[in-house]
Amino acid sequence: TQQENSAIHFEWLLFCHLIATTALAATLFFIHSMLMFKGLCAAISMCDSHHLCKTFVYKGKRMNKLYPDAASALADVIQDGQTLAVGGFGLCGIPEALIAALRDTGKKDLTCISNNAGVDGFGLGVLLETRQVKKMISSYVGENKEFERQYLSGELEVELTPQGTLAEKLRSGGAGIPAFYTRTGVGTQIADGKEVKVFGGQEYILEETLVADVALVKAQKADKAGNLVFNKTARNFNPE
């Protein structure tokens, strides 16, 4: 009948409209994703322990670069007074090639964020010996006599941070979160000078997050887009 034909025709038009709307939404999402991708991103990492890989995407233009050594990779990156996030836990997963290259740049007044400060003659201990580090933000600072000497003599600023809090400070900073509350450190010197607030009958302290100018990490593999693969426990603080 004419009424049934009209109903079928209407359903067909509705179906076509739904398909067209879905296609348009998918197209707009793709365009939005591409525009977001055209922002600036950069990564510096170890590539197969032989090359330094630095990847830039700027204003839609890809510039993929492989460097034969750490010195070349850091040549146009490191400046005096920067804040550096340095991967590693103890002596595992330390970007030693990048640290050695950083030492050779002679850049100074650096603030280093790292779980620990290395040992004498290795890791960040190398930069302490050359007096290039102005401040350390760490959770463990033992096993380094030069660190102890500089701190006790007033040559080195030190900000001790609980290990879990340090990891969250870096993660939150990278996510654009300026601060967060935690119970860790409540009632200790860690809480001195920090805001304290009560949630659910428990006290929490406000911790400001950390954002570094440059991150030095060690990975087993890296591609030109900056994606990293870490070697077992050498991953530790590097992804933060």
Short mmCIF file of all heavy atoms in Angstrom, two decimals, residues 13-76:
data_model
loop_
_atom_site.label_atom_id
_atom_site.label_comp_id
_atom_site.label_asym_id
_atom_site.label_seq_id
_atom_site.Cartn_x
_atom_site.Cartn_y
_atom_site.Cartn_z
N LEU A 13 15.46 6.67 4.38
CA LEU A 13 16.06 7.99 4.52
C LEU A 13 16.72 8.16 5.89
O LEU A 13 17.79 8.74 6.01
CB LEU A 13 14.98 9.07 4.33
CG LEU A 13 14.45 9.26 2.91
CD1 LEU A 13 13.32 10.29 2.90
CD2 LEU A 13 15.57 9.71 1.98
N LEU A 14 16.05 7.63 6.93
CA LEU A 14 16.61 7.72 8.28
C LEU A 14 17.91 6.94 8.38
O LEU A 14 18.89 7.40 8.98
CB LEU A 14 15.59 7.18 9.29
CG LEU A 14 15.99 7.25 10.77
CD1 LEU A 14 16.19 8.72 11.18
CD2 LEU A 14 14.94 6.59 11.65
N PHE A 15 17.94 5.75 7.73
CA PHE A 15 19.15 4.94 7.74
C PHE A 15 20.29 5.66 7.01
O PHE A 15 21.44 5.70 7.50
CB PHE A 15 18.86 3.59 7.07
CG PHE A 15 20.08 2.73 6.92
CD1 PHE A 15 20.62 2.06 8.01
CD2 PHE A 15 20.69 2.57 5.68
CE1 PHE A 15 21.76 1.26 7.86
CE2 PHE A 15 21.81 1.79 5.53
CZ PHE A 15 22.36 1.13 6.63
N CYS A 16 20.01 6.24 5.88
CA CYS A 16 21.03 6.97 5.12
C CYS A 16 21.55 8.17 5.91
O CYS A 16 22.75 8.48 5.90
CB CYS A 16 20.45 7.44 3.78
SG CYS A 16 20.09 6.09 2.63
N HIS A 17 20.64 8.85 6.60
CA HIS A 17 21.04 9.99 7.42
C HIS A 17 21.97 9.56 8.55
O HIS A 17 22.97 10.24 8.86
CB HIS A 17 19.79 10.67 8.00
CG HIS A 17 20.11 11.81 8.93
ND1 HIS A 17 20.60 13.03 8.49
CD2 HIS A 17 20.02 11.90 10.29
CE1 HIS A 17 20.80 13.83 9.53
NE2 HIS A 17 20.45 13.16 10.62
N LEU A 18 21.65 8.40 9.17
CA LEU A 18 22.48 7.89 10.25
C LEU A 18 23.88 7.55 9.75
O LEU A 18 24.89 7.87 10.38
CB LEU A 18 21.82 6.65 10.85
CG LEU A 18 22.58 5.96 11.99
CD1 LEU A 18 22.75 6.91 13.18
CD2 LEU A 18 21.86 4.69 12.44
N ILE A 19 23.95 6.91 8.56
CA ILE A 19 25.25 6.56 7.98
C ILE A 19 26.06 7.82 7.68
O ILE A 19 27.26 7.92 7.97
CB ILE A 19 25.07 5.72 6.70
CG1 ILE A 19 24.46 4.36 7.03
CG2 ILE A 19 26.41 5.54 5.99
CD1 ILE A 19 25.32 3.50 7.92
N ALA A 20 25.41 8.83 7.11
CA ALA A 20 26.11 10.07 6.75
C ALA A 20 26.60 10.80 7.99
O ALA A 20 27.72 11.33 8.02
CB ALA A 20 25.17 10.98 5.96
N THR A 21 25.78 10.80 9.05
CA THR A 21 26.17 11.46 10.30
C THR A 21 27.36 10.77 10.94
O THR A 21 28.30 11.41 11.42
CB THR A 21 24.99 11.48 11.29
OG1 THR A 21 23.88 12.13 10.69
CG2 THR A 21 25.37 12.21 12.58
N THR A 22 27.35 9.44 10.93
CA THR A 22 28.46 8.67 11.49
C THR A 22 29.75 8.93 10.72
O THR A 22 30.82 9.11 11.30
CB THR A 22 28.13 7.17 11.47
OG1 THR A 22 26.92 6.93 12.19
CG2 THR A 22 29.26 6.36 12.11
N ALA A 23 29.64 8.95 9.39
CA ALA A 23 30.83 9.21 8.56
C ALA A 23 31.38 10.60 8.82
O ALA A 23 32.60 10.80 8.89
CB ALA A 23 30.46 9.04 7.09
N LEU A 24 30.49 11.58 8.96
CA LEU A 24 30.93 12.94 9.23
C LEU A 24 31.63 13.05 10.58
O LEU A 24 32.68 13.69 10.71
CB LEU A 24 29.73 13.89 9.19
CG LEU A 24 30.01 15.36 9.54
CD1 LEU A 24 31.00 15.95 8.53
CD2 LEU A 24 28.72 16.17 9.56
N ALA A 25 31.06 12.37 11.60
CA ALA A 25 31.66 12.39 12.94
C ALA A 25 33.05 11.76 12.92
O ALA A 25 34.00 12.26 13.52
CB ALA A 25 30.77 11.67 13.93
N ALA A 26 33.18 10.64 12.19
CA ALA A 26 34.48 9.97 12.09
C ALA A 26 35.50 10.86 11.39
O ALA A 26 36.67 10.93 11.78
CB ALA A 26 34.33 8.65 11.34
N THR A 27 35.06 11.56 10.34
CA THR A 27 35.95 12.47 9.60
C THR A 27 36.41 13.62 10.47
O THR A 27 37.60 13.98 10.49
CB THR A 27 35.24 13.02 8.36
OG1 THR A 27 34.83 11.94 7.53
CG2 THR A 27 36.16 13.94 7.57
N LEU A 28 35.48 14.22 11.23
CA LEU A 28 35.84 15.33 12.12
C LEU A 28 36.80 14.87 13.21
O LEU A 28 37.73 15.60 13.57
CB LEU A 28 34.57 15.92 12.74
CG LEU A 28 33.65 16.67 11.77
CD1 LEU A 28 32.37 17.10 12.49
CD2 LEU A 28 34.35 17.90 11.20
N PHE A 29 36.57 13.66 13.74
CA PHE A 29 37.47 13.13 14.77
C PHE A 29 38.87 12.94 14.20
O PHE A 29 39.88 13.25 14.85
CB PHE A 29 36.94 11.81 15.29
CG PHE A 29 37.83 11.15 16.31
CD1 PHE A 29 37.88 11.61 17.62
CD2 PHE A 29 38.65 10.09 15.94
CE1 PHE A 29 38.72 11.01 18.55
CE2 PHE A 29 39.49 9.49 16.86
CZ PHE A 29 39.52 9.96 18.18
N PHE A 30 38.95 12.43 12.97
CA PHE A 30 40.26 12.22 12.33
C PHE A 30 40.98 13.56 12.13
O PHE A 30 42.18 13.68 12.41
CB PHE A 30 40.06 11.52 10.99
CG PHE A 30 41.33 11.36 10.20
CD1 PHE A 30 42.25 10.39 10.55
CD2 PHE A 30 41.61 12.19 9.12
CE1 PHE A 30 43.44 10.25 9.84
CE2 PHE A 30 42.77 12.05 8.41
CZ PHE A 30 43.69 11.07 8.77
N ILE A 31 40.24 14.57 11.66
CA ILE A 31 40.84 15.88 11.44
C ILE A 31 41.33 16.47 12.75
O ILE A 31 42.44 17.03 12.85
CB ILE A 31 39.83 16.83 10.77
CG1 ILE A 31 39.51 16.34 9.35
CG2 ILE A 31 40.35 18.27 10.73
CD1 ILE A 31 38.41 17.11 8.67
N HIS A 32 40.51 16.33 13.81
CA HIS A 32 40.91 16.85 15.12
C HIS A 32 42.17 16.15 15.63
O HIS A 32 43.08 16.80 16.16
CB HIS A 32 39.76 16.64 16.12
CG HIS A 32 40.11 17.00 17.53
ND1 HIS A 32 40.24 18.31 17.95
CD2 HIS A 32 40.39 16.24 18.62
CE1 HIS A 32 40.57 18.33 19.22
NE2 HIS A 32 40.65 17.09 19.65
N SER A 33 42.23 14.83 15.44
CA SER A 33 43.41 14.07 15.88
C SER A 33 44.65 14.53 15.14
O SER A 33 45.73 14.66 15.73
CB SER A 33 43.17 12.58 15.67
OG SER A 33 42.06 12.13 16.41
N MET A 34 44.52 14.77 13.85
CA MET A 34 45.67 15.22 13.06
C MET A 34 46.13 16.60 13.50
O MET A 34 47.33 16.87 13.57
CB MET A 34 45.31 15.24 11.58
CG MET A 34 45.09 13.86 10.98
SD MET A 34 46.53 12.78 11.14
CE MET A 34 47.71 13.66 10.12
N LEU A 35 45.18 17.48 13.82
CA LEU A 35 45.56 18.82 14.28
C LEU A 35 46.27 18.74 15.62
O LEU A 35 47.24 19.46 15.87
CB LEU A 35 44.31 19.69 14.40
CG LEU A 35 43.66 20.10 13.07
CD1 LEU A 35 42.36 20.84 13.33
CD2 LEU A 35 44.61 20.96 12.25
N MET A 36 45.78 17.86 16.50
CA MET A 36 46.45 17.69 17.79
C MET A 36 47.85 17.13 17.59
O MET A 36 48.80 17.50 18.28
CB MET A 36 45.64 16.74 18.68
CG MET A 36 44.31 17.30 19.13
SD MET A 36 44.49 18.70 20.26
CE MET A 36 45.11 17.83 21.70
N PHE A 37 48.00 16.25 16.60
CA PHE A 37 49.29 15.63 16.34
C PHE A 37 50.30 16.61 15.80
O PHE A 37 51.51 16.40 15.87
CB PHE A 37 49.11 14.47 15.35
CG PHE A 37 50.35 13.66 15.12
CD1 PHE A 37 50.86 12.89 16.13
CD2 PHE A 37 50.99 13.69 13.89
CE1 PHE A 37 52.00 12.13 15.92
CE2 PHE A 37 52.13 12.94 13.68
CZ PHE A 37 52.63 12.15 14.70
N LYS A 38 49.80 17.73 15.25
CA LYS A 38 50.70 18.72 14.67
C LYS A 38 51.35 19.61 15.70
O LYS A 38 52.07 20.54 15.37
CB LYS A 38 49.94 19.58 13.66
CG LYS A 38 49.63 18.85 12.36
CD LYS A 38 48.97 19.76 11.36
CE LYS A 38 48.71 19.04 10.05
NZ LYS A 38 48.07 19.90 9.05
N GLY A 39 51.10 19.34 16.99
CA GLY A 39 51.78 20.10 18.04
C GLY A 39 53.22 19.65 18.16
O GLY A 39 53.69 18.80 17.42
N LEU A 40 53.90 20.21 19.12
CA LEU A 40 55.32 19.90 19.31
C LEU A 40 55.50 18.74 20.26
O LEU A 40 54.91 18.69 21.32
CB LEU A 40 56.03 21.13 19.89
CG LEU A 40 57.51 20.94 20.29
CD1 LEU A 40 58.35 20.61 19.07
CD2 LEU A 40 58.03 22.18 20.98
N CYS A 41 56.31 17.77 19.89
CA CYS A 41 56.68 16.70 20.82
C CYS A 41 58.14 16.36 20.57
O CYS A 41 58.64 16.49 19.47
CB CYS A 41 55.79 15.47 20.64
SG CYS A 41 56.00 14.63 19.07
N ALA A 42 58.82 15.95 21.62
CA ALA A 42 60.23 15.60 21.48
C ALA A 42 60.58 14.49 22.44
O ALA A 42 60.02 14.39 23.51
CB ALA A 42 61.11 16.82 21.76
N ALA A 43 61.51 13.64 22.04
CA ALA A 43 61.95 12.57 22.93
C ALA A 43 63.42 12.30 22.68
O ALA A 43 63.89 12.33 21.55
CB ALA A 43 61.15 11.29 22.65
N ILE A 44 64.15 12.06 23.75
CA ILE A 44 65.56 11.70 23.66
C ILE A 44 65.72 10.38 24.38
O ILE A 44 65.33 10.25 25.53
CB ILE A 44 66.46 12.75 24.31
CG1 ILE A 44 66.28 14.10 23.62
CG2 ILE A 44 67.92 12.32 24.24
CD1 ILE A 44 67.06 15.20 24.27
N SER A 45 66.29 9.39 23.74
CA SER A 45 66.41 8.09 24.39
C SER A 45 67.54 7.30 23.77
O SER A 45 68.05 7.62 22.71
CB SER A 45 65.10 7.31 24.25
OG SER A 45 64.81 7.14 22.87
N MET A 46 67.93 6.22 24.46
CA MET A 46 68.92 5.32 23.92
C MET A 46 68.25 4.42 22.88
O MET A 46 67.16 3.91 23.10
CB MET A 46 69.51 4.44 25.02
CG MET A 46 70.29 5.22 26.07
SD MET A 46 71.71 6.08 25.39
CE MET A 46 72.70 4.72 24.83
N CYS A 47 68.87 4.22 21.72
CA CYS A 47 68.35 3.34 20.69
C CYS A 47 69.29 2.16 20.54
O CYS A 47 70.38 2.30 19.99
CB CYS A 47 68.20 4.06 19.36
SG CYS A 47 67.01 5.40 19.36
N ASP A 48 68.86 1.00 21.01
CA ASP A 48 69.66 -0.21 20.89
C ASP A 48 71.07 -0.05 21.46
O ASP A 48 72.00 -0.72 21.04
CB ASP A 48 69.76 -0.66 19.43
CG ASP A 48 68.43 -1.09 18.89
OD1 ASP A 48 67.67 -1.72 19.64
OD2 ASP A 48 68.14 -0.81 17.73
N SER A 49 71.24 0.84 22.42
CA SER A 49 72.51 1.06 23.11
C SER A 49 73.63 1.52 22.19
O SER A 49 74.79 1.54 22.59
CB SER A 49 72.93 -0.22 23.86
OG SER A 49 71.94 -0.61 24.78
N HIS A 50 73.32 1.87 20.95
CA HIS A 50 74.37 2.29 20.02
C HIS A 50 74.16 3.70 19.49
O HIS A 50 75.11 4.41 19.21
CB HIS A 50 74.43 1.31 18.83
CG HIS A 50 74.79 -0.08 19.21
ND1 HIS A 50 76.01 -0.39 19.76
CD2 HIS A 50 74.09 -1.24 19.16
CE1 HIS A 50 76.07 -1.70 20.01
NE2 HIS A 50 74.91 -2.23 19.66
N HIS A 51 72.94 4.10 19.32
CA HIS A 51 72.64 5.41 18.76
C HIS A 51 71.70 6.17 19.68
O HIS A 51 70.95 5.59 20.43
CB HIS A 51 71.99 5.30 17.37
CG HIS A 51 72.89 4.71 16.34
ND1 HIS A 51 73.05 3.35 16.19
CD2 HIS A 51 73.68 5.29 15.40
CE1 HIS A 51 73.90 3.11 15.21
NE2 HIS A 51 74.30 4.27 14.71
N LEU A 52 71.77 7.48 19.59
CA LEU A 52 70.81 8.33 20.29
C LEU A 52 69.73 8.70 19.30
O LEU A 52 70.02 9.08 18.17
CB LEU A 52 71.49 9.59 20.81
CG LEU A 52 72.00 9.51 22.25
CD1 LEU A 52 70.85 9.40 23.23
CD2 LEU A 52 72.96 8.35 22.42
N CYS A 53 68.50 8.57 19.73
CA CYS A 53 67.37 8.86 18.85
C CYS A 53 66.64 10.09 19.37
O CYS A 53 66.23 10.12 20.52
CB CYS A 53 66.41 7.66 18.81
SG CYS A 53 64.90 7.97 17.91
N LYS A 54 66.49 11.10 18.52
CA LYS A 54 65.74 12.30 18.89
C LYS A 54 64.70 12.55 17.82
O LYS A 54 65.00 12.67 16.65
CB LYS A 54 66.68 13.50 19.02
CG LYS A 54 65.96 14.75 19.49
CD LYS A 54 66.92 15.77 20.03
CE LYS A 54 67.94 16.22 19.03
NZ LYS A 54 68.79 17.28 19.55
N THR A 55 63.44 12.60 18.22
CA THR A 55 62.35 12.72 17.27
C THR A 55 61.58 14.01 17.52
O THR A 55 61.18 14.28 18.64
CB THR A 55 61.38 11.53 17.41
OG1 THR A 55 62.10 10.33 17.24
CG2 THR A 55 60.27 11.62 16.36
N PHE A 56 61.36 14.80 16.48
CA PHE A 56 60.58 16.02 16.60
C PHE A 56 59.42 15.99 15.61
O PHE A 56 59.57 15.55 14.48
CB PHE A 56 61.44 17.26 16.29
CG PHE A 56 62.44 17.58 17.34
CD1 PHE A 56 63.74 17.12 17.24
CD2 PHE A 56 62.08 18.35 18.43
CE1 PHE A 56 64.67 17.42 18.22
CE2 PHE A 56 63.01 18.66 19.40
CZ PHE A 56 64.30 18.20 19.30
N VAL A 57 58.27 16.45 16.06
CA VAL A 57 57.17 16.73 15.16
C VAL A 57 56.75 18.16 15.47
O VAL A 57 56.28 18.46 16.55
CB VAL A 57 55.98 15.77 15.39
CG1 VAL A 57 54.85 16.13 14.45
CG2 VAL A 57 56.41 14.34 15.21
N TYR A 58 56.95 19.07 14.51
CA TYR A 58 56.69 20.48 14.77
C TYR A 58 55.92 21.07 13.62
O TYR A 58 56.36 21.05 12.48
CB TYR A 58 58.01 21.23 14.97
CG TYR A 58 57.81 22.69 15.32
CD1 TYR A 58 57.21 23.05 16.52
CD2 TYR A 58 58.19 23.68 14.43
CE1 TYR A 58 57.02 24.38 16.84
CE2 TYR A 58 58.01 25.02 14.74
CZ TYR A 58 57.41 25.36 15.95
OH TYR A 58 57.21 26.68 16.27
N LYS A 59 54.72 21.59 13.93
CA LYS A 59 53.86 22.22 12.93
C LYS A 59 53.64 21.31 11.73
O LYS A 59 53.66 21.74 10.57
CB LYS A 59 54.47 23.55 12.48
CG LYS A 59 54.49 24.60 13.60
CD LYS A 59 55.02 25.93 13.10
CE LYS A 59 54.99 26.98 14.21
NZ LYS A 59 55.53 28.28 13.77
N GLY A 60 53.43 20.03 12.03
CA GLY A 60 53.10 19.08 10.98
C GLY A 60 54.28 18.55 10.20
O GLY A 60 54.11 17.70 9.33
N LYS A 61 55.48 19.04 10.48
CA LYS A 61 56.66 18.62 9.73
C LYS A 61 57.47 17.64 10.56
O LYS A 61 57.90 17.94 11.66
CB LYS A 61 57.52 19.83 9.38
CG LYS A 61 58.75 19.48 8.54
CD LYS A 61 59.55 20.73 8.22
CE LYS A 61 60.79 20.38 7.40
NZ LYS A 61 61.60 21.58 7.11
N ARG A 62 57.67 16.44 10.04
CA ARG A 62 58.45 15.43 10.75
C ARG A 62 59.94 15.62 10.50
O ARG A 62 60.36 15.83 9.38
CB ARG A 62 58.05 14.03 10.28
CG ARG A 62 56.71 13.56 10.82
CD ARG A 62 56.38 12.21 10.25
NE ARG A 62 55.17 11.68 10.83
CZ ARG A 62 55.13 10.92 11.92
NH1 ARG A 62 56.24 10.62 12.54
NH2 ARG A 62 53.98 10.47 12.37
N MET A 63 60.70 15.52 11.55
CA MET A 63 62.16 15.58 11.45
C MET A 63 62.71 14.46 12.31
O MET A 63 62.86 14.61 13.52
CB MET A 63 62.68 16.94 11.93
CG MET A 63 62.26 18.10 11.06
SD MET A 63 62.89 19.67 11.67
CE MET A 63 61.86 19.89 13.12
N ASN A 64 62.95 13.32 11.73
CA ASN A 64 63.47 12.18 12.47
C ASN A 64 64.99 12.15 12.36
O ASN A 64 65.54 12.17 11.27
CB ASN A 64 62.89 10.88 11.90
CG ASN A 64 61.38 10.83 12.07
OD1 ASN A 64 60.87 11.19 13.12
ND2 ASN A 64 60.68 10.42 11.02
N LYS A 65 65.64 12.10 13.51
CA LYS A 65 67.10 12.17 13.51
C LYS A 65 67.68 11.04 14.35
O LYS A 65 67.23 10.76 15.45
CB LYS A 65 67.57 13.51 14.08
CG LYS A 65 67.09 14.73 13.28
CD LYS A 65 67.57 16.01 13.90
CE LYS A 65 67.09 17.23 13.14
NZ LYS A 65 67.56 18.48 13.74
N LEU A 66 68.71 10.44 13.83
CA LEU A 66 69.50 9.47 14.58
C LEU A 66 70.89 10.05 14.75
O LEU A 66 71.48 10.55 13.79
CB LEU A 66 69.58 8.13 13.85
CG LEU A 66 68.31 7.28 13.83
CD1 LEU A 66 68.53 6.04 12.97
CD2 LEU A 66 67.92 6.89 15.24
N TYR A 67 71.39 10.00 15.96
CA TYR A 67 72.71 10.56 16.25
C TYR A 67 73.68 9.45 16.59
O TYR A 67 73.33 8.49 17.28
CB TYR A 67 72.63 11.55 17.42
CG TYR A 67 71.86 12.81 17.08
CD1 TYR A 67 70.48 12.85 17.18
CD2 TYR A 67 72.52 13.95 16.63
CE1 TYR A 67 69.77 13.99 16.86
CE2 TYR A 67 71.83 15.10 16.29
CZ TYR A 67 70.45 15.11 16.41
OH TYR A 67 69.75 16.24 16.08
N PRO A 68 74.89 9.55 16.15
CA PRO A 68 75.88 8.49 16.40
C PRO A 68 76.36 8.45 17.83
O PRO A 68 76.93 7.45 18.26
CB PRO A 68 77.02 8.84 15.43
CG PRO A 68 76.91 10.33 15.28
CD PRO A 68 75.44 10.62 15.29
N ASP A 69 76.17 9.55 18.58
CA ASP A 69 76.64 9.56 19.97
C ASP A 69 75.79 10.53 20.79
O ASP A 69 75.03 11.34 20.26
CB ASP A 69 78.12 9.95 20.05
CG ASP A 69 78.43 11.24 19.32
OD1 ASP A 69 77.78 12.26 19.64
OD2 ASP A 69 79.30 11.25 18.43
N ALA A 70 75.95 10.43 22.10
CA ALA A 70 75.16 11.23 23.02
C ALA A 70 75.50 12.72 22.93
O ALA A 70 74.63 13.57 23.08
CB ALA A 70 75.36 10.74 24.45
N ALA A 71 76.76 13.03 22.68
CA ALA A 71 77.18 14.43 22.60
C ALA A 71 76.43 15.17 21.50
O ALA A 71 75.99 16.31 21.67
CB ALA A 71 78.69 14.51 22.38
N SER A 72 76.27 14.52 20.36
CA SER A 72 75.55 15.15 19.24
C SER A 72 74.09 15.37 19.58
O SER A 72 73.50 16.38 19.21
CB SER A 72 75.66 14.27 18.00
OG SER A 72 77.02 14.07 17.63
N ALA A 73 73.50 14.44 20.30
CA ALA A 73 72.08 14.54 20.64
C ALA A 73 71.80 15.67 21.62
O ALA A 73 70.75 16.30 21.57
CB ALA A 73 71.59 13.22 21.23
N LEU A 74 72.74 15.94 22.50
CA LEU A 74 72.54 16.97 23.53
C LEU A 74 73.06 18.34 23.13
O LEU A 74 72.83 19.32 23.84
CB LEU A 74 73.24 16.55 24.84
CG LEU A 74 72.69 15.31 25.55
CD1 LEU A 74 73.46 15.07 26.84
CD2 LEU A 74 71.21 15.43 25.82
N ALA A 75 73.72 18.43 22.00
CA ALA A 75 74.41 19.67 21.62
C ALA A 75 73.52 20.89 21.62
O ALA A 75 73.93 21.98 22.05
CB ALA A 75 75.06 19.49 20.24
N ASP A 76 72.29 20.77 21.14
CA ASP A 76 71.40 21.94 21.03
C ASP A 76 70.25 21.87 22.03
O ASP A 76 69.23 22.52 21.85
CB ASP A 76 70.85 22.04 19.61
CG ASP A 76 70.08 20.78 19.20
OD1 ASP A 76 70.21 19.76 19.90
OD2 ASP A 76 69.35 20.82 18.20
#
